[in-house]
Amino acid sequence: MSSYHTVKDGTRIFYKDWGHGQPVVFAHGWPLSSDAWDPQMLFMGQHGYRVIAHDRRSHGRSTQTWDGNTMDTYADDLASLIEALDLKEVILVGHSTGGGEIAHYIGRHGSKRVAKAVLVGAVPPQMVVSATNPGGLPMSVFDGIRAGVAADRSQFYQDLTTPFFGANRDGHKVSQGMRDAFWLQGMQGGHKGQYDCIREFSEVDYTQDLKKIDVPTLVVHGDDDQIVPIDASGRLSAKIVANATLKVYPGAPHGLTVTHADQFNQDLLAFARA
């Protein structure tokens, strides 16, 4: 049910491989691991799908590498795993940074093994403000994340659970368990790799990758996402991807795969079956 795949530079990528049927491959957000997808993997596995999720290099149980913590390498690691398992007709699902990873995978490796794609609270097309992305966030936001991770990443990850799950909103139902799971996954990963990854989810421009997505795509985003604001991400991505459907969750936070797991699971299953 779990194993390691060694890629060309010797990095060992941890992955889970559960169930049987059409493969659904999940790419997690920062600074988490494949465990972030447990609610979806259990549900989809129980509904007749083979579910696979990996820990990005320097995250979770994968090798903590000093070099190579770039989106190019993340996409190549994913391609290596998909090819090693000889997966076909894959449904790719990416949350947050993982959305950038699956978009970049298609941009670099094509969609010959891909049937559908799902972007959930995903960072594309680009998070930081730039000449081509005037609606992005200022670099000072990401410099602040870097400073927090460098100084005391344990406390930073604990504090991050509040906006991530929307625990600062009236009527929230965020449990201590949700917060603890986030913190634990974050602390499992490598400090250097997680620090490097901040650049990859904030500064990389995925516009050209989105334009290369030529399979049916579901874009899911909460309109109260305090981490990846919807207007400069989900709404734009849905316009750029040729065959995309945008589904907005009113009041949902960035971590909607946990806080709105039942709703998202049903939407994911319906999209997979369509």
Side-chain angles (χ1 to χ4, degrees):
M1 293 178 65
S2 64
S3 189
Y4 285 89
H5 169 65
T6 302
V7 298
K8 62 183 180 181
D9 69 352
T11 298
R12 299 177 74 229
I13 302 296
F14 174 87
Y15 68 96
K16 305 177 185 183
D17 186 352
W18 304 348
H20 309 281
Q22 183 180 8
V24 184
V25 175
F26 297 89
H28 63 78
W30 178 92
L32 305 175
S33 74
S34 57
D35 292 350
W37 289 112
D38 280 355
Q40 286 69 48
M41 292 184 69
L42 179 63
F43 178 83
M44 294 297 286
Q46 289 172 333
H47 284 80
Y49 291 85
R50 179 182 177 185
V51 289
I52 299 159
H54 65 294
D55 293 355
R56 188 174 300 116
R57 63 169 57 216
S58 294
H59 294 68
R61 289 140 292 201
S62 292
T63 302
Q64 298 184 11
T65 60
W66 184 263
D67 299 310
N69 301 300
T70 68
M71 192 54 68
D72 285 352
T73 308
Y74 301 155
D76 292 349
D77 289 346
L78 177 58
S80 180
L81 177 61
I82 288 174
E83 289 163 12
L85 298 177
D86 195 24
L87 303 179
K88 299 172 182 176
E89 293 297 303
V90 173
I91 301 170
L92 284 177
V93 186
H95 175 248
S96 196
T97 304
E101 183 178 335
I102 68 167
H104 204 51
Y105 164 83
I106 293 175
R108 283 173 70 82
H109 299 276
S111 60
K112 61 183 180 295
R113 292 180 178 269
V114 181
K116 298 177 181 179
V118 182
L119 301 172
V120 191
V123 298
Q126 187 180 22
M127 285 198 70
V128 74
V129 66
S130 68
T132 57
N133 187 41
L137 298 171
M139 182 63 79
S140 60
V141 171
F142 305 107
D143 287 341
I145 296 173
R146 273 184 278 266
V149 169
D152 185 352
R153 69 171 176 150
S154 179
Q155 188 61 52
F156 183 84
Y157 292 159
Q158 289 191 14
D159 294 343
L160 185 58
T161 63
T162 296
F164 188 95
F165 292 118
N168 52 351
R169 300 306 198 219
D170 291 341
H172 77 81
K173 297 180 180 180
V174 181
S175 69
Q176 190 61 44
M178 293 178 188
R179 293 176 178 266
D180 291 347
F182 182 104
W183 174 85
L184 176 61
Q185 290 174 54
M187 293 307 294
Q188 280 183 314
H191 200 177
K192 171 63 161 56
Q194 290 176 342
Y195 184 91
D196 290 349
C197 188
I198 297 166
R199 177 193 177 278
E200 305 311 302
F201 70 66
S202 62
E203 297 180 48
V204 175
D205 186 345
Y206 299 96
T207 303
Q208 296 308 311
D209 296 320
L210 295 175
K211 290 179 178 179
K212 293 179 181 178
I213 297 177
D214 56 359
V215 295
T217 301
L218 176 65
V219 179
V220 176
H221 219 106
D223 68 4
D224 193 31
D225 191 323
Q226 301 171 65
I227 307 298
V228 183
I230 186 173
D231 287 339
S233 54
R235 294 195 196 279
L236 284 181
S237 291
K239 292 178 181 178
I240 296 169
V241 177
N243 189 13
T245 299
L246 174 64
K247 187 174 285 288
V248 178
Y249 286 19
H254 190 57
L256 66 81
T257 58
V258 176
T259 61
H260 292 62
D262 290 345
Q263 181 181 356
F264 176 65
N265 288 350
Q266 291 295 336
D267 286 339
L268 176 60
L269 180 62
F271 179 68
R273 287 176 170 174

